[in-house]
Amino acid sequence: MPPLSALRAFHAVAEGGGYSQAARALNVTHAAVAQQVRTLEGLMGVALVMRHGRGMALTAEGADLARALSEGFGAIQTGVEALKAAGAARPVRITLTPSFASQWLMPRLKEFWKLHPDIALSLHPDARVLDLRRDGMDIGLRYGNGDWPGVEARFLAPARMAVACAPDLLSGRNTLTVEEMQRMDWLLTQDWPEQENYLKSLGLDPQRLSRTEFPGEELSLAAARQGLGPIVESLALMEEDISTGRLVLLHDSRTQLPAYFVVTPPGPQRSAARAFLKWLFAAA
């Protein structure tokens, strides 16, 4: 197969009717186009272009090749345009934890669709860390320290851990002593070592706490809103509950890591994904 650059140069000559027109179309020099055509003629073993008066014309072999290239490049262009159209119409696929989806992203999405009513999103709540390329995800929203191989990670929002509870449990107060918190019935998430370490930092003994454990943060948050006990959670996921008074903040860790990060596969993003990322960072 001859070099694609030589075939493309000859196709431009045939389409434009000369070397100068082809050079302008390809944004190269007249000499570069002529050299590519001479290279192609040498590889094919036939003349493709001949002088005709003050201009040039295609030989019979050149005309045959020009027709074949026109069909071939036309098929390529059709395929590329179809792929671009399909990519533009495909929803932006986002993997994220169920709690971040329900507590942080969903309350804000109305504002995104006001700005971009034509962009479809496909949310995939999952506690697992997915492989973005293998699972066909455009964007991931992850909790951690931002150090994951094979992706580009950018800080999105702090994930400062905090303790909160429904106001009914405080009897008009704003704080509780360590002894009072130790005696309460807690609403905690299963298999979350950071939660246990945070409780210890408050002076509590996690092993001696009366606790109800939930498999996901969204369930423990729902129970906390009903006044069933205090909760340990990322402050970012309780912003709306605290601002509306459904929960009262008792303690804030004020640490920078772990945090929430946006992760993307290396390389360019589709325009729809870029628009969502721009809005996402502005919202955060």
Side-chain angles (χ1 to χ4, degrees):
M1 189 68 182
L4 183 60
S5 57
L7 293 172
R8 185 164 173 256
F10 173 71
H11 179 253
V13 171
E15 288 280 301
Y19 292 119
S20 298
Q21 297 90 327
R24 285 193 294 271
L26 299 176
N27 197 29
V28 297
T29 65
H30 180 287
V33 173
Q35 178 61 43
Q36 291 280 15
V37 173
R38 285 195 296 271
T39 298
L40 184 59
E41 288 178 323
L43 291 170
M44 303 293 289
V46 295
L48 301 172
V49 177
M50 62 181 180
R51 289 192 175 277
H52 183 70
R54 299 182 63 182
M56 53 79 62
L58 300 180
T59 65
E61 293 84 359
D64 289 341
L65 180 60
R67 282 192 292 271
L69 291 177
S70 182
E71 293 175 4
F73 283 123
I76 292 173
Q77 182 176 356
T78 299
V80 168
E81 290 175 350
L83 186 62
K84 289 172 65 177
R90 180 170 63 86
V92 179
R93 291 166 57 87
I94 305 158
T95 173
L96 68 174
T97 63
S99 56
F100 194 83
S102 61
Q103 303 303 321
W104 195 94
L105 185 59
M106 291 304 298
R108 294 168 168 82
L109 273 187
K110 182 179 179 181
E111 298 304 316
F112 173 75
W113 277 313
K114 282 183 181 179
L115 297 173
H116 303 282
D118 57 326
I119 295 180
L121 303 178
S122 178
L123 303 184
H124 297 263
D126 198 320
R128 299 172 299 156
V129 175
L130 301 185
D131 184 303
L132 299 185
R133 289 202 184 280
R134 184 192 64 207
D135 295 298
M137 298 294 165
D138 296 292
I139 298 167
L141 304 178
R142 292 183 182 172
Y143 171 85
N145 60 7
D147 183 19
W148 297 283
V151 296
E152 296 176 357
R154 285 174 283 174
F155 176 87
L156 177 66
R160 289 162 25 196
M161 299 186 75
V163 174
C165 69
D168 291 347
L169 296 179
L170 299 176
S171 302
R173 300 164 59 190
N174 293 322
T175 60
L176 295 173
T177 66
V178 173
E179 291 75 17
E180 288 172 324
M181 288 193 290
Q182 184 71 51
R183 293 194 297 267
M184 298 181 77
D185 298 320
W186 285 74
L187 310 169
L188 302 176
T189 304
Q190 295 174 354
D191 302 321
W192 193 10
E194 293 90 343
Q195 172 186 253
E196 306 299 304
N197 292 333
Y198 179 48
L199 290 169
K200 290 178 183 176
S201 74
L202 299 180
L204 300 170
D205 183 349
Q207 302 304 316
R208 295 178 52 241
L209 289 176
S210 173
R211 55 201 290 163
T212 300
E213 294 192 343
F214 296 88
E217 297 160 280
E218 62 275 11
L219 295 178
S220 55
L221 270 169
R225 295 185 190 112
Q226 299 302 314
L228 301 182
I231 185 176
V232 174
E233 186 51 271
S234 167
L235 185 60
L237 301 187
M238 298 192 293
E239 287 177 344
E240 184 178 5
D241 288 300
I242 292 171
S243 65
T244 58
R246 287 194 296 264
L247 296 177
V248 176
L249 183 64
L250 296 178
H251 190 273
D252 175 5
S253 67
R254 299 188 179 278
T255 57
Q256 294 303 310
L257 289 177
Y260 290 101
F261 289 83
V262 173
V263 296
T264 54
Q269 291 270 319
R270 294 184 295 132
S271 59
R274 292 198 304 271
F276 178 76
L277 288 171
K278 182 179 179 181
W279 169 83
L280 188 66
F281 285 111

